[in-house]
């Protein structure tokens, strides 16, 4: 399918004059800082949302019904905002921007791409939203056949189905803005989302009960799209003139519709871990689904922080691949793997050590009692064993799909071979194997261990998928230097294990919960940094040296190569092409 028919092939432009080197590290630090602050604000508001849900409704049949309905936005968000839409549109807009630089004359490829894709997207999203509302009873029965009274879940599902359209719009606009290296508005969408939920939930929970939460989800999704509309329009106005038609057959970008299917299938397959948990959890005692949900929300905070790294760097990887620079893409992926692991393992060690204190401090009030606290804390500790694999999966799958994006150059000399098309499905196959592991572990353990068995299945399944994806990158053409990558991961894992052990002892030795949390958290941080430096984890050397101040020279460990620079090493130039552009 042809996207644009009016981009005339042009002779290569004259070499660009030398330009001052761009401090890519400063750009990445600034972009990551903005994204981290706004994402932290959104996560904090999301945590407040969960606290209010627990306070107002506890963990019972009503919250189980709402959480079954919440599966709709939970599935739509990764499909339309975080994963599939980003895998599709960030490389597409990145390629359009490369063409804009290569062909300064003529219509703007970015506007061409928008005109040819956005109307179709809106039509598909409206159809999906309507179908979900119509088939809400079937959706609820499929997800949770063990619910005693599914009527409340059906009502909430029809309300949350509204989110499909604004989520898709937000994902499309956010991908375009990130490709333009504009990160502020995309990072703010979850702030707007959770503010909308909190407003409706606080105002209406006494009258509407748990339905107020569903209405808040729908209202918050509309705010997400609204936050991005203005910045997106301004980004388009910053390009060249409006699109215009020229001679047929002259085109610059091609759409490969079948390339969309593996991206969507991967996202749905990954999200199916939640479906399996809800399905198996619906046959367990009331409140099990709620315990799993609260535990997942707390555990995901650590993984989400790590994923921010590749959210910021993904446009750089996509641009490098669009320009054919596989070495630059490989280097960036290796750095992302090391830095994401360093962040997520710090959170993993903290959660394993301090989960009881975290849950007690956050949730134990109102209808959420001590038994709910104990059950949720145990689930968090088991969930945490899969956080590293979740973060690494998020890092690896982005460049995998960027190697054959759905939108490509019309003059791309590479043939569209059947083998390359088949390899597009490798991440789906990896996740399918992971799902088999998740299901098997859940079925074998849930009747004896309840929610802990389901959490163990989740961790085992995603770890299996991450191992397979690590192999898949080499098959795709991004040949990671595996000894360095695996060595770096092993050092970080050992540091996190030691930190969790020491932090757990410190947390159990102190009461009440706030002091236990402070003692355990401080112990985890100090031990993690010290062990990391002594073991030679470069990702931790910079933060440790800054934290230790004058005594940092005493703790300089071996400078092992782990595929990523230390935070604080000499700046490296990022995102530039060989000619300086």
């Amino acid at each position: 399918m042809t996207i644009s028919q009016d981009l005339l092939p042009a002779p290569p432009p004259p070499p660009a004059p030398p330009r001052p080197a761009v401090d890519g590290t400063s750009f990445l630090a600034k972009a990551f800082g903005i994204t981290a602050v706004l994402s932290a604000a959104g996560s904090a508001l999301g945590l407040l949302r969960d606290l209010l849900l627990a306070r107002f409704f506890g963990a019972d049949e009503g919250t189980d019904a709402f959480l079954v309905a919440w599966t709709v936005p939970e599935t739509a968000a990764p499909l339309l905002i975080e994963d599939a839409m980003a895998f599709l549109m960030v490389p597409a807009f990145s390629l359009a921007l490369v063409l804009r630089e290569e062909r300064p004359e003529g219509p703007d490829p970015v506007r061409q791409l928008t005109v040819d894709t956005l109307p179709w997207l809106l039509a598909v999203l409206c159809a999906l939203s309507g179908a979900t509302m119509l088939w809400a009873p079937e959706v609820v029965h499929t997800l949770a056949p063990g619910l005693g009274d599914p009527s409340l879940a059906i009502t909430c599902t029809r309300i949350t189905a509204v989110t499909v359209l604004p989520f898709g719009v937000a994902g499309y606009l956010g991908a375009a803005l990130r490709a333009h290296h504009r990160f502020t508005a995309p990072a703010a969408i979850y702030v707007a989302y959770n503010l909308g939920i909190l407003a409706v939930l606080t105002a209406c929970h006494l009258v509407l009960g748990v339905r107020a939460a569903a209405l808040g989800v729908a209202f918050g999704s509309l705010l997400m799209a609204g936050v991005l509309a203005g910045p997106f329009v301004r980004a388009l106005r910053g390009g060249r003139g409006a699109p215009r038609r020229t001679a047929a057959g002259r085109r610059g970008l091609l759409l490969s519709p079948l390339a969309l299917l593996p991206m969507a299938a991967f996202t749905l397959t990954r999200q199916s871990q939640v479906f399996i948990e809800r399905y198996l959890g619906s046959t367990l005692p009331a409140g099990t689904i709620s315990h799993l949900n609260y535990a997942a929300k707390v555990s995901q905070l650590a993984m989400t922080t790590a994923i921010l790294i590749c959210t910021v760097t993904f446009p750089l990887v996509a641009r490098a691949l669009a320009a054919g620079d596989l070495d630059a893409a490989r280097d960036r992926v290796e750095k992302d793997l090391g830095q994401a692991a360093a962040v997520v393992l710090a959170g993993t060690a903290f959660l394993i050590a301090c989960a009881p204190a975290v849950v007690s401090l956050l949730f134990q009030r109102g209808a959420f009692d001590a038994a709910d606290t104990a059950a949720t804390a145990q689930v968090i500790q088991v969930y945490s064993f899969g956080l590293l694999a979740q973060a690494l999966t998020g890092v690896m799958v982005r460049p995998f799909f960027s190697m054959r994006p759905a939108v490509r150059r019309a003059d791309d000399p590479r043939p569209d071979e059947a083998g390359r098309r088949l390899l597009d499905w490798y991440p789906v196959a990896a996740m399918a194997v992971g799902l088999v592991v998740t299901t098997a572990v859940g079925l074998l353990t849930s009747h004896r261990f309840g929610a802990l068995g389901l959490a163990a299945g989740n961790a085992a399944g995603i770890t299996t998928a991450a191992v397979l994806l690590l192999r898949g990158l080499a098959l795709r053409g991004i040949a990671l230097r595996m000894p360095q990558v695996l060595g770096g991961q092993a050092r970080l894992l050992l540091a996190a294990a030691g930190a969790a052990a020491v932090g757990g002892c410190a947390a159990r030795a102190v009461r009440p919960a706030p002091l236990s949390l402070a003692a355990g958290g401080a112990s985890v941080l100090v031990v993690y940094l010290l062990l990391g430096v002594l073991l030679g984890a470069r990702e931790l050397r910079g933060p440790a040296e800054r934290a230790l101040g004058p005594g940092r020279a005493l703790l300089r460990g071996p400078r092992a190569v782990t595929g990523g620079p230390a935070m604080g090493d000499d700046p490296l130039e990022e995102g530039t092409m060989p000619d300086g552009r």
Side-chain angles (χ1 to χ4, degrees):
M1 174 181 176
T2 299
I3 282 188
S4 302
Q5 297 184 347
D6 52 357
L7 295 176
L8 298 175
R19 290 174 18 172
V22 178
D23 188 351
T25 301
S26 298
F27 157 71
L28 288 180
K30 182 179 179 181
F32 179 78
I34 293 171
T35 304
V37 168
L38 290 173
S39 296
S43 297
L45 291 171
L47 185 57
L48 179 59
R49 172 202 68 206
D50 294 334
L51 293 177
L52 290 181
L53 282 171
R55 181 181 182 88
F56 293 155
F57 310 115
D60 58 16
E61 296 88 345
T63 54
D64 284 355
F66 166 68
L67 292 172
V68 170
W70 206 351
T71 304
V72 173
E74 278 186 325
T75 303
L79 183 64
L80 300 176
I81 301 176
E82 298 156 9
D83 289 345
M85 186 68 75
F87 302 156
L88 169 64
M89 297 314 304
V90 170
F93 278 105
S94 297
L95 178 56
L97 289 167
V98 169
L99 289 176
R100 175 192 281 177
E101 294 174 355
E102 292 179 352
R103 304 173 182 181
E105 301 298 329
D108 184 4
V110 177
R111 292 192 181 191
Q112 296 283 347
L113 181 61
T114 303
V115 167
D116 289 333
T117 56
L118 186 54
W120 290 99
L121 175 66
L122 294 176
V124 171
L125 293 173
C126 289
L128 288 175
S129 182
T132 305
M133 293 179 187
L134 181 63
W135 293 328
E138 289 76 14
V139 171
V140 170
H141 179 72
T142 301
L143 292 175
L147 287 179
D149 182 11
S151 59
L152 179 59
I154 292 171
T155 299
C156 292
T157 299
R158 285 183 168 138
I159 296 172
T160 57
V162 173
T163 62
V164 173
L165 175 60
F167 273 14
V169 173
Y172 182 95
L173 303 185
L177 290 170
R178 290 191 186 99
H180 284 79
H181 292 174
R182 301 184 183 187
F183 294 94
T184 302
I189 59 175
Y190 283 106
V191 175
Y193 177 58
N194 286 310
L195 283 175
I197 296 175
L198 289 171
V200 177
L201 182 61
T202 303
C204 304
H205 73 278
L206 292 176
V207 177
L208 300 176
V210 78
R211 295 176 185 83
L215 286 171
V217 170
F219 178 63
S221 68
L222 297 173
L223 296 181
M224 295 174 82
V227 165
L228 297 176
F232 176 76
V233 170
R234 289 192 292 273
L236 283 187
R237 288 176 178 172
R240 297 200 295 271
R244 61 182 184 273
R245 298 292 177 185
T246 58
R250 304 296 184 89
R251 55 193 187 270
L253 296 174
L254 291 178
L255 173 64
S256 303
L258 294 180
L260 305 175
L261 297 179
M263 302 177 190
F266 170 80
T267 303
L268 290 173
T269 308
R270 185 175 181 181
Q271 188 64 20
S272 295
Q273 285 195 305
V274 177
F275 303 160
I276 293 170
E277 285 185 2
R278 300 272 163 86
Y279 184 90
L280 296 178
S282 69
T283 64
L284 298 175
T288 298
I289 294 177
S290 298
H291 295 149
L292 289 166
N293 173 74
Y294 294 134
K297 291 297 187 293
V298 174
S299 302
Q300 293 299 318
L301 292 176
M303 191 272 294
T304 301
T305 304
I307 288 297
L308 291 179
I309 295 172
C310 60
T311 298
V312 171
T313 60
F314 182 33
L316 297 179
V317 175
R319 286 242 193 164
L321 293 174
D325 192 348
L326 293 180
D327 288 340
R330 179 202 63 197
D331 293 344
R332 184 67 260 170
V333 172
E334 289 179 351
K335 295 172 189 176
D336 289 349
L337 288 171
Q339 291 167 353
V343 173
V344 78
L345 285 174
T348 298
F350 172 74
L351 289 174
I352 292 174
C354 304
V358 170
V359 178
S360 175
L361 188 63
L362 293 177
F363 293 106
Q364 192 172 327
R365 57 183 60 84
F368 198 94
D369 58 22
D372 293 322
T373 295
T376 303
Q378 290 176 340
V379 175
I380 287 175
Q381 290 172 324
V382 177
Y383 260 141
S384 297
F385 286 98
L387 292 180
L388 174 62
Q390 290 195 40
L392 298 186
T393 297
V395 172
M396 290 185 288
V397 76
R398 285 164 167 78
F400 196 101
F401 284 128
S402 294
M403 283 295 293
R404 196 173 84 91
V407 178
R408 61 189 181 91
R409 296 171 180 262
D411 56 357
D412 189 344
R414 295 173 297 178
D416 194 15
E417 300 171 352
R420 293 178 62 201
R421 293 196 300 271
L422 184 61
L423 199 56
D424 292 347
W425 293 90
Y426 184 94
V428 182
M431 279 305 308
V433 174
L435 278 182
V436 172
V437 174
T438 296
T439 305
V441 174
L443 288 172
L444 292 173
T445 61
S446 60
H447 289 293
R448 181 175 179 182
F449 298 103
L452 296 181
L454 299 180
N458 184 298
I462 194 64
T463 301
T464 302
V467 172
L468 294 174
L469 279 174
L470 196 60
R471 170 59 180 163
L473 277 180
L475 298 176
R476 195 61 158 169
I478 302 177
L480 302 180
R481 290 162 288 200
M482 295 304 295
Q484 294 93 324
V485 171
L486 295 179
Q489 298 290 315
R491 294 181 183 91
L492 292 169
L493 276 169
L494 290 173
V502 175
C505 293
R508 288 190 295 270
V510 181
R511 292 291 184 272
L515 294 180
S516 175
L517 192 64
S523 300
V524 166
L525 179 61
V526 171
V527 174
Y528 183 57
L529 291 177
L530 289 177
L531 287 179
V533 170
L534 293 175
L535 291 170
R538 293 187 63 185
E539 292 84 3
L540 300 182
R541 191 176 67 245
E545 291 175 354
R546 286 193 291 270
L548 293 171
R552 62 182 180 269
L554 299 176
L555 294 170
R556 289 181 185 265
R559 293 179 173 252
V561 177
T562 64
M567 300 177 189
D569 281 359
D570 294 334
L572 298 175
E573 189 171 332
E574 298 275 4
T576 57
M577 297 177 68
D579 62 359
R581 289 187 290 119

